[in-house]
Amino acid sequence: MYKILISPTAKKVYFVLLTILILDTFIVSLQWSAVAGPKAILAQNVTVQSTTSLPSTPLIAATPIAAASVPNQDVLRVLTWAGGEIIFPRRGHPQNIELEYLQQFADEKNLKLEKIRVKKFVDLIPMLLAGKGDVIAANLTKTRERAKLVSFTKPYMLTKEYLVMGSQSKILKTGKDLNGREIVIQRGKSYESTALGLQKVYPQLKIRLVDSAISHEALYDKLASGEFDITIQDKNLINSASAYRDDIKMSLQASATRYLGWGVAPSNKSLLNDLNAFLKAQNLIAKTTPKSKHRYKSQWQKIQETKTVRFVLRNNLSSYYIWRGELLGFHYELAKRFAKEHKLRYEIIVAPNNVALLDYLLEDKADIALGFLTPTVQRRKKGIAFSRPYHYASELVIAHKDRAEIESEAELANSNIYIRPSSSYWESATALQKTVDNINLVAVPENQETELIIDKVGEREYEMTIADSHIVDLEMTFRDDIQSLIALGAPKSQSWAFASGNDKLLAKSNAFIKKHYKGLFYNVIYNKYFKNQKRLDTHYKDYVRQNNSGVLSPYDDIVKKYANQYGFDWRLLVAQMHQESRFNPKAKSMAGAKGLFQLMPRTAKELGISNVHEPEQGIKAGVRYMNWVRERMRKDEVQEDQLLWFTLASYNAGAGHVRDAMRLAKQKGWRDDVWFNNVERAMLLLSQSKYAAKARYGYVRGQEPVHYIREIKRRFETYDNILKRELVVAN
């Protein structure tokens, strides 16, 4: 659709310009020449308060520049920087927001959006001008130098640059404190010119340029560890990182207001005009004068004008989480559907605890709270309004599986029940105290999810708790160490929550719930998350029974073929295949993983496999992906004798969660390069909100990868012993 027009003369000019441009030395000198810009601003010291797999497309390295090509007219090719990504957004990560905007633009134009992840930031503009993409979306600051090379859209955001350092670093009280310090900048970033401007004012300030492939996350890690002293970042990036990191801090303001826009090739005026028209129509063009909080007559009017609805959720297994690179959750899917039906963008905000879930509504940090919330008198007095019911749940008393069964509430006498004080369960337990003797209520921390409390009951740390029936259903798909003793009263209604007075938003939400409750869409996603059958164990016989014949699975020959090709022990792969699918090539998980090795469709597609349900294709894809994951983990300097376990953990839960566990293990003083009894211990902690809140990839049900690896190891050792025994018998 967007044809790039280049004359023969222009081609020659572009070729010369771009050949020079891709040289790092040119980019460095280009940034050094930018010192003549406005003098940097140093504001008062500000500290940010902390709150809260396989790549989707291959990384693209810059290649020698050729003449610009004509793009596919049905595709919008978006160049984005791999180092700026946040896989699990908690508070509208800037680069994710850009891509959401462009996805909406592509949908309106009937285009397929193709995301091209570029490894080095400095390669973005050369690749655009070489015709390898149509638009750059990478939190790109408009500078005079860049504006000479590419055309910028109207700004979709205004931001300022700040100095950033590790939380334990010596503070900067004034700009003079920069003398003797060092600022580290990724090569090619606009922050270079800011740093050079500061160096003119403070001559003893040192500047170090590092590879532009170093991600923001890696940069933050080095600041936190003290390896790097200071860097410069846009405030919107710092705010996003502060949602889950407390090991970095924002310091002095370093620049005036900066304009962020999308970059387009100068010759592609039709695309530039269309993008600007889209930004204007969507009311996305940033204004220098902030919008008044009182300009809107209602919350719904604000949502309509901004075309964005903000949902606040908890990062847990029923609401919102990431698994194998996919964002999942019952409430997440409801939020997406509501936004889609009202032609709105949606923003997911993760609350750090259950109290904040409702407080965010009162503080106008969110529009709608989702989280199986029971309307109570106390919550209404607080200023919270509730929708019509969208779910009903029985409150169940939960105990360890070995506790004797009961027939009446009276048999709960002399029991200890562990509950969060802010939950509706506390009111139910208080009512229970009035009818049952010696019920002792024990308050647990507000950041403990119901799932974690249940886990502590299963481990006998807590005697009992109360939980909604759907949460218990979900837990019972993973565990068998708990039981429901009794239901307390009739099922209770659960609703969406809003700040009181937002009647129009409430009416829109009620209409949505009325339309979908118990309908096809609702039932499909509810069953997906809460009625999934337990591990397929009831449907497939354990193939270990076939061991007497020397056959480990129906697919041994195929597995041996690809195991040999990629250097794996075939018995290990058979054990993994059993754990994934019980040797059922038609198996499909609730997250959408398919086939014998339970690959996500997107991953299979990237591996060039179209039908993972066909056994050979599914096995080929699974082993190839295992090899890809192994090489990825090898780069993390995992010991060779531990590499297999880290690979399996990454295959199961995703490399992001594994790296979070490695990082946490190091913080705890455990080995971060040994899986058993070290990193696996940290993985278990990531099920707790106080640890998940500071993890890049958030909550993960740590028992899953831990159990997954131990089961595969046990089965692999069984296979190994069986085959050794057969060898002895044969001899």
Side-chain angles (χ1 to χ4, degrees), residues 395 397 409 412 416-420 423-436 438-442 464-466 488 492:
E395 292 185 342
V397 177
E409 293 179 0
L412 293 173
N416 298 305
I417 302 181
Y418 292 74
I419 306 172
R420 287 190 313 273
S423 74
S424 60
Y425 306 143
W426 189 270
E427 294 183 29
S428 301
T430 301
L432 189 65
Q433 281 182 313
K434 297 176 181 178
T435 59
V436 179
N438 298 323
I439 290 286
N440 180 36
L441 289 189
V442 183
M464 293 182 190
T465 191
I466 298 174
L488 301 177
K492 293 186 176 182

Side-chain angles (χ1 to χ4, degrees), residues 623-639:
V623 180
R624 286 181 62 184
Y625 182 54
M626 269 288 286
N627 182 62
W628 185 89
V629 172
R630 180 175 60 183
E631 293 309 306
R632 193 179 186 192
M633 296 311 299
R634 186 173 269 133
K635 292 178 181 178
D636 286 336
E637 299 181 357
V638 174
Q639 294 186 89

Side-chain angles (χ1 to χ4, degrees), residues 561-576:
K561 171 182 172 183
Y562 292 105
N564 183 61
Q565 183 176 339
Y566 290 99
F568 286 104
D569 189 310
W570 73 275
R571 299 162 301 174
L572 183 282
L573 295 176
V574 171
Q576 181 187 11

